Amino acid sequence: MASWKKIGAAFAFTSVVSATSVVSATTALQVCAQIQRALSPASGVFIPLASSASPAGAATNSIYAADNAHWFASSTQASACTVEPATAADVSALIKLLGQTKTPFAVKGGGHATNPGYSSTTGVQIAMTRFNAVTYDKKSGTIVLGAGKIWDDVYTELEPLGVFVPGGRVPGIGVAGYTLGGGYNWISNQIGLTVDIVLEYELVKPNGDIVCVTKTSNPDLFFALKGGYNNFGIVTQFTYQAFPIGKVWGGLITYGIAQTAEFNAAFSAFSAHATDPKAALVSGYGLDPNGQPAVGNIMFYNGPTPPKGLFDAFLNIKNTSSDIGTRTLSSLVASAPQDLPAGTRGFFNTMSFFEYTPAIVNAVQNETAFWGPRVTAVEAGALAGYHMEAFESTFLSHNTTPTAWPFYRSKKFVPLQMQFTWSNPKNDDIIRGFMEQSAIHLTNVANQDGQQVQELPLYPNYGLFTSPPARIYGSNIPRLQAIKAQVDPQNVMGLAGGWRF
Ligand SMILES: Cc1cc2nc3c(=O)[nH]c(=O)nc-3n(C[C@H](O)[C@H](O)[C@H](O)COP(=O)(O)OP(=O)(O)OC[C@H]3O[C@@H](n4cnc5c(N)ncnc54)[C@H](O)[C@@H]3O)c2cc1C
Ligand SMILES: *[C@@H]1O[C@H](CO)[C@@H](O)[C@H](O)[C@H]1NC(C)=O
Ligand SMILES: *[C@@H]1O[C@H](CO)[C@@H](O)[C@H](O)[C@H]1NC(C)=O
């Protein structure tokens, strides 16, 4: 442990401040009343009532709770009120009022942000649920998605048409936050990140202007919105290139800990040598609720059957559960449910590697074995999970315009997603410290493995809030700062939490 601390000091992380201004609860409530008067009847404002004894009060309180709710309880806060805008004009009125009154606020799509305060607030919680368009235009080959959609619903709704927008790979993820951060999808090997296929953003700027942002109408904002998160205003809808989708193959398979060595070898071989761009893999280590280490894979093939042999290294390992087959995309996505017990707190942290070499894979697995018992010692039932993603060598070369994220595309790099969970708020800082130490240790392992991973971008949608913004936006920061100064000179979006440059 002593040598650990030494390593830790060399890579000390700096903290990032989220919301920049605070108003009293009374002031926020007054602003809620102002919002109520300013918005059209299509939109809704929900102020929690002290008692939910009356049916109307109970209904209000339940919408208020749903608007505030997040996948991780640690990402949920009690807001002064929630607002469900229904039109871009109402979002415009709303953002102007929030800016003028300097009221802290948050914008929520699917509520899967794993950093506290990134889409939650004690001020005004905006929930985008009423932006629920899913519109396929066959002639132009494009699909418009409202900023309140959840990916699994998008897949189900589009399935009869034989098209889709490549998005989240497991249930529950919001279209908006996912797309604003980058977007690793099941066919990234074929089409790149989801930001690479966005053609148009309908954006409500911090000054209230409603604009259509395309490659030609506004190249700067088009670049900035592609990975630049919630720094430039509120997006109401996204237009994407549509892709055909038919029956796919794959699903979830799990193995016992005794199969770990075999599994590690299969994963690093697949990651380094897979050349079929229709194939994809997300693999993970976790502990089951009994503290038993477990290993698993979600396998994917963009077609009804993978070529013979492609996934054999995984299919030949003795499994403990398997739900693999030819199926619809929505069924494959549903095969890996992400339901958490109520009150589950958690953070993600991330690393990027050039390649999942055997040394890296073994080190990642060792982190699970190392931290699993340590988080359990802090709190019974706490879990330390690690997920690795395999992509082929050219998957970052599909963009036709520059993107805010990633700032580096000259060589393949692959993400690691760390996911620790617990339930007692008093353990937040301790477990966050473990996650930071783990990333530092893996950075050292990568360096010893000949991978200078400190140069690589960290994925904003997996990053822990203590990560330095320079690790996320790197060489793009000067351009992003210049665009930010033009679009949001009053830093209205700074009243919300999120990555800042
Ligand atoms: C279980 C799970 C699985 C995941 N799987 C994947 C995956 O397969 N691939 C992948 O790439 N990522 C994945 N992620 C990461 C995911 O992309 C991020 O959590 C993402 O931010 C979630 O988007 P959201 O809309 O649900 O989140 P939210 O919490 O609603 O929003 C995230 C951020 O976006 C901002 N935002 C939301 N809506 C708007 C808007 N309309 N305008 C401006 N800003 C807005 C919010 O303010 C917040 O800062 C996963 C996360 C989880 C928890
Ligand atoms: C998983 O194991 C069961 C039982 O041994 C076996 O019948 C099944 O085919 C395996 N699944 C896969 C996808 O190989
Ligand atoms: C396993 O991880 C721990 C903690 O990061 C580290 O101290 C140890 O050296 C690792 N062991 C191996 C074999 O990698």
Side-chain angles (χ1 to χ4, degrees):
M1 284 303 282
S3 65
W4 263 71
K5 289 214 173 106
K6 222 162 68 201
I7 295 163
F11 283 85
F13 286 124
T14 54
S15 203
V16 181
V17 182
S18 37
T20 52
S21 165
V22 182
V23 295
S24 73
T26 345
T27 316
L29 268 178
Q30 285 164 358
V31 175
C32 293
Q34 269 182 283
I35 292 169
Q36 214 156 19
R37 290 191 294 271
L39 300 198
S40 78
S43 300
V45 178
F46 303 92
I47 299 169
L49 301 168
S51 154
S52 56
S54 77
T60 296
N61 285 358
S62 105
I63 296 170
Y64 166 83
D67 287 347
N68 285 332
H70 284 71
W71 187 64
F72 275 151
S74 40
S75 295
T76 302
Q77 297 184 75
S79 61
C81 65
T82 70
V83 181
E84 294 184 1
T87 63
D90 279 355
V91 173
S92 168
L94 181 54
I95 203 168
K96 280 195 267 189
L97 260 172
L98 293 169
Q100 282 155 13
T101 56
K102 299 212 183 321
T103 306
F105 70 97
V107 189
K108 190 184 89 166
H112 270 44
T114 48
N115 285 320
Y118 275 32
S119 56
S120 72
T121 178
T122 55
V124 173
Q125 174 77 57
I126 303 170
M128 297 299 285
T129 50
R130 296 191 188 192
F131 288 90
N132 58 6
V134 178
T135 319
Y136 172 46
D137 180 41
K138 198 171 174 180
K139 220 170 105 211
S140 61
T142 60
I143 292 168
V144 175
L145 299 181
K149 289 305 286 188
I150 305 299
W151 284 112
D152 2 345
D153 297 333
V154 172
Y155 302 145
T156 311
E157 286 170 47
L158 289 172
E159 223 138 56
L161 306 175
V163 291
F164 83 131
V165 179
R169 291 167 295 188
V170 296
I173 305 159
V175 161
Y178 164 99
T179 302
L180 288 167
Y184 291 111
N185 60 73
W186 280 127
I187 64 163
S188 279
N189 286 333
Q190 294 181 281
I191 61 109
L193 301 175
T194 302
V195 282
D196 297 332
I197 58 152
V198 181
L199 301 171
E200 189 175 316
Y201 299 82
E202 184 179 80
L203 175 74
V204 180
K205 288 178 21 182
N207 69 0
D209 287 354
I210 303 166
V211 290
C212 245
V213 179
T214 66
K215 181 179 171 172
T216 46
S217 79
N218 194 329
D220 277 338
L221 264 178
F222 194 62
F223 156 82
L225 289 170
K226 289 189 174 225
Y229 219 65
N230 64 356
N231 285 283
F232 303 97
I234 299 176
V235 176
T236 48
Q237 63 180 36
F238 303 83
T239 306
Y240 305 83
Q241 187 183 345
F243 290 88
I245 190 86
K247 282 279 158 60
V248 298
W249 177 93
L252 180 68
I253 186 163
T254 61
Y255 314 98
I257 194 68
Q259 275 66 49
T260 300
E262 232 182 316
F263 175 82
N264 288 357
F267 183 81
S268 49
F270 187 96
S271 183
H273 306 304
T275 50
D276 188 330
K278 293 182 177 174
L281 198 56
V282 175
S283 304
Y285 306 102
L287 290 180
D288 68 24
N290 303 316
Q292 294 304 305
V295 175
N297 256 340
I298 313 173
M299 297 187 276
F300 176 88
Y301 193 79
N302 189 11
T305 15
K308 268 205 165 38
L310 191 63
F311 288 101
D312 277 6
F314 294 103
L315 296 173
N316 292 338
I317 305 174
K318 180 176 170 287
N319 71 70
T320 49
S321 82
S322 99
D323 173 15
I324 305 289
T326 302
R327 61 210 309 179
T328 59
L329 175 69
S330 59
S331 151
L332 186 142
V333 167
S335 80
Q338 303 292 316
D339 306 324
L340 296 170
T344 300
R345 306 178 76 77
F347 296 137
F348 281 8
N349 195 6
T350 193
M351 293 274 309
S352 296
F353 301 107
F354 286 100
E355 187 54 274
Y356 277 110
T357 59
I360 300 284
V361 172
N362 289 336
V364 170
Q365 183 255 318
N366 173 57
E367 288 299 283
T368 305
F370 183 85
W371 291 109
R374 281 165 180 78
V375 297
T376 314
V378 170
E379 185 184 306
L383 296 172
Y386 290 76
H387 302 118
M388 307 180 292
E389 307 184 8
F391 292 105
E392 58 114 30
S393 60
T394 61
F395 89 105
L396 291 172
S397 64
H398 295 275
N399 62 313
T400 53
T401 60
T403 55
W405 198 89
F407 61 87
Y408 177 102
R409 288 188 185 247
S410 47
K411 218 171 150 193
K412 157 175 139 176
F413 67 90
V414 287
L416 171 75
Q417 180 238 319
M418 247 182 247
Q419 174 179 324
F420 285 29
T421 53
W422 61 96
S423 59
N424 190 334
K426 84 174 187 350
N427 294 326
D428 290 3
D429 291 344
I430 299 170
I431 295 183
R432 175 169 56 78
F434 290 173
M435 299 179 77
E436 290 166 350
Q437 285 183 58
S438 183
I440 290 161
H441 175 71
L442 288 171
T443 302
N444 288 327
V445 171
N447 284 334
Q448 279 156 24
D449 190 44
Q451 302 192 33
Q452 300 303 308
V453 296
Q454 304 94 305
E455 306 163 13
L456 289 177
L458 298 178
Y459 182 37
N461 276 334
Y462 293 168
L464 182 57
F465 63 95
T466 51
S467 311
R471 284 299 314 279
I472 295 175
Y473 293 108
S475 54
N476 278 339
I477 287 182
R479 183 171 179 198
L480 288 168
Q481 284 173 338
I483 300 167
K484 172 79 181 173
Q486 276 217 317
V487 177
D488 191 12
Q490 308 294 325
N491 195 21
V492 172
M493 294 310 293
L495 296 162
W499 298 111
R500 301 293 171 244
F501 321 116

